[in-house]
Amino acid sequence: MKKFKRVLIANRGEIAIRVAKTLRELDIESVMLFTDEEKDLPHASFGDISINLGSGPLSDTYLNISKLVELCKEHKVDAVHPGYGFLSERAPFAKALKEAGVELIGPPTAAMEAMGDKKTSKEIMEKAGIPLIPGYHGDNQESDFLAKEAVKIGFPILIKASAGGGGKGMRIVEKDSEFQEALESAKREAMNAFGDDKVLIEKYITDPRHIEVQVMSDTHGQHFHFWERECSIQRRYQKIVEESPSPALSQSLREEICQTAVKISETMNYVGAGTVEFILDKDGSFYFLEMNTRLQVEHPITEMVTGSDLVQLQIRVAQGEKLPFTQSEIHQNGHAIEVRIYAENPDQDFMPSIGTIDVVGESRLLGVRLDSGYKAGNEVTTSFDPMIAKLIVWSTGRTEAINKMDKALSDYPFLGLTTNRDYLKRILKHETFREGVTFTHFVKTYADDLKARSLSREEVIQAILAYEFMGTTTKLAENEAHVTTAWDQLSGFRLN
Ligand code: ADP
């Protein structure tokens, strides 16, 4: 069995820090990357070795495969952890590392390639008897043919780019007469984003839930699942609140979905950490959506309910170790929720915001984990993803976890720039969410309920006093369920 001595983390921000923490626990040296612009960010100085990638577009820094491979050689690293995003699912990166004799802490290239294309992955799943959303994913791309297929499936339908990701190249079509125009625009967007305009068509499931299963496989043919996460609360097809277990599943349906995910891992001869995503319809039918061949943003909730360190397991698998447990030893215990804190303005169509973080905050609770890429004094710019932190809480039950998250969000105000914090609080307080009725159009359906209410003059004054004298937002946040915070309204008002 191999034992890594030094690992390069080909990523930044909160995920680079999260991976480095596990490396430290395992006595493996971490090599961290940063750019000129990120010198003061926590990840830049978090590792044992820090490398400045200079400046320029991402293609010159974090996405520059040859540069990263050279750095691996120069610093004699044994393996690379790619985090999520960036190069984590790019087969050419995996191949270049292999040629250089560096291990990728990730799946085999074949699995990465097969799952990177929606059409290919569906073909494999169809053969394996995995339930798919009714639709067409064949080779014929002629528009008249596709239009006929759409009629066969029955409207509404969804056009998806085969090479797609992040909701790009996706179009809902309500009726026959709108099909051709939607097809053209989906193809145009797909060509621009992925250089490939192949599409597939699916039945559009109204108000579904997004359920995903964490899987982990070793090189000895063992395939495990670490139960499910529910990620139905999304904006622009991107998750903002995730929880485990899902409030929607009976124990038998849970077992069935998780077993299906394991079957998919077996079919793929999978190795390492992966996530199988499903769409769950109101009648309990579930369908394979896609498999992400990497660690997910929302992995911490699984770590909290199963008491495992998924990054540690990834590393042990990459070192060739046989995982020393059985499926029946992996339990779901209690309830965990994660929220993604974004530098963005939910009241202006989630437009990214920029600024300097004056105060991050500090937790006054047990069972709270903040995975943040920023500290007080740091500047948030538009150069990188607007997700600045993830807040994760664990408690004995769902209601307890929701209440705890509401308090935890008060403890971490991230003052100085506009964030989605209060918006997240409004979701947590929403009656329908609290009842466990979550679905992918939640945010759209309850847009009016989730809007910020303006503060009265008195409330603004009260908030300023609380801010000045207590140095915290807690007082206001605990008293007010449905308001925007005062500093959002006090343009120019800053600490100091
Ligand atoms: P991407 O790879 O672009 O993220 P996915 O296929 O993973 O696209 O779908 C992203 C999200 O879009 C899902 O989580 C779900 O909310 C929604 N979605 C996808 N397919 C369907 C469908 N057939 N019906 C309804 N919603 C869907």
Side-chain angles (χ1 to χ4, degrees), residues 383-418:
S383 302
F384 301 101
D385 190 83
M387 190 184 82
I388 51 177
K390 309 185 307 207
L391 189 55
I392 308 106
V393 305
W394 180 92
S395 194
T396 46
R398 185 170 189 265
T399 304
E400 292 82 355
I402 294 172
N403 292 342
K404 191 186 257 192
M405 179 59 90
D406 184 51
K407 291 192 182 108
L409 277 168
S410 298
D411 286 348
Y412 289 111
F414 280 92
L415 300 183
L417 75 173
T418 305

Side-chain angles (χ1 to χ4, degrees), residues 227-416:
W227 303 102
E228 86 283 6
R229 295 184 285 259
E230 161 138 10
C231 315
S232 299
I233 307 293
Q234 309 178 348
R235 57 118 181 78
R236 295 178 167 176
Y237 300 112
Q238 278 173 353
K239 305 154 189 168
I240 47 175
V241 180
E242 300 107 341
E243 60 183 305
S244 182
S246 160
L249 302 182
S250 64
Q251 194 53 29
S252 61
L253 187 53
R254 170 173 294 118
E255 299 271 354
E256 199 186 334
I257 292 183
C258 292
Q259 284 312 322
T260 306
V262 169
K263 190 173 167 195
I264 291 172
S265 300
E266 286 166 0
T267 304
M268 302 304 297
N269 290 320
Y270 201 72
V271 176
T275 294
V276 183
E277 298 190 337
F278 296 98
I279 281 260
L280 175 67
D281 206 347
K282 284 189 267 312
D283 64 359
S285 325
F286 62 91
Y287 309 101
F288 170 81
L289 204 54
E290 64 174 353
M291 182 174 188
N292 292 319
T293 55
R294 54 169 163 81
L295 194 68
Q296 298 268 99
V297 174
E298 59 274 22
H299 76 277
I301 52 174
T302 299
E303 298 192 315
M304 280 204 163
V305 291
T306 62
S308 46
D309 177 340
L310 293 171
V311 174
Q312 182 178 135
L313 295 178
Q314 282 187 297
I315 291 167
R316 287 165 64 180
V317 164
Q319 290 181 153
E321 190 178 328
K322 185 173 181 190
L323 294 177
F325 45 73
T326 60
Q327 183 63 58
S328 62
E329 289 170 311
I330 306 167
H331 300 287
Q332 258 176 333
N333 176 31
H335 200 97
I337 303 181
E338 172 181 284
V339 297
R340 303 189 189 189
I341 301 175
Y342 277 93
E344 68 179 18
N345 189 346
D347 300 315
Q348 274 177 18
D349 204 20
F350 305 98
M351 199 160 72
S353 60
I354 52 167
T356 303
I357 299 171
D358 292 328
V359 175
V360 171
E362 196 180 330
S363 175
R364 298 181 292 150
L365 293 157
L366 286 174
V368 171
R369 166 172 166 184
L370 181 80
D371 283 16
S372 175
Y374 295 83
K375 60 179 192 293
N378 286 157
E379 206 164 320
V380 177
T381 68
T382 51
S383 302
F384 301 101
D385 190 83
M387 190 184 82
I388 51 177
K390 309 185 307 207
L391 189 55
I392 308 106
V393 305
W394 180 92
S395 194
T396 46
R398 185 170 189 265
T399 304
E400 292 82 355
I402 294 172
N403 292 342
K404 191 186 257 192
M405 179 59 90
D406 184 51
K407 291 192 182 108
L409 277 168
S410 298
D411 286 348
Y412 289 111
F414 280 92
L415 300 183

Side-chain angles (χ1 to χ4, degrees), residues 118 158 160 165-167 170 202-203 205 210 234 237 290 440:
K118 292 189 200 299
L158 191 61
K160 275 188 192 178
M170 231 147 79
E202 281 174 5
K203 172 96 196 136
I205 317 272
H210 175 113
Q234 309 178 348
Y237 300 112
E290 64 174 353
T440 56

Side-chain angles (χ1 to χ4, degrees), residues 37-56:
E37 184 183 330
E38 298 174 298
K39 276 197 186 90
D40 297 325
L41 297 192
H43 78 266
S45 50
F46 201 87
D48 297 302
I49 298 169
S50 293
I51 300 172
N52 186 345
L53 295 172
S55 57

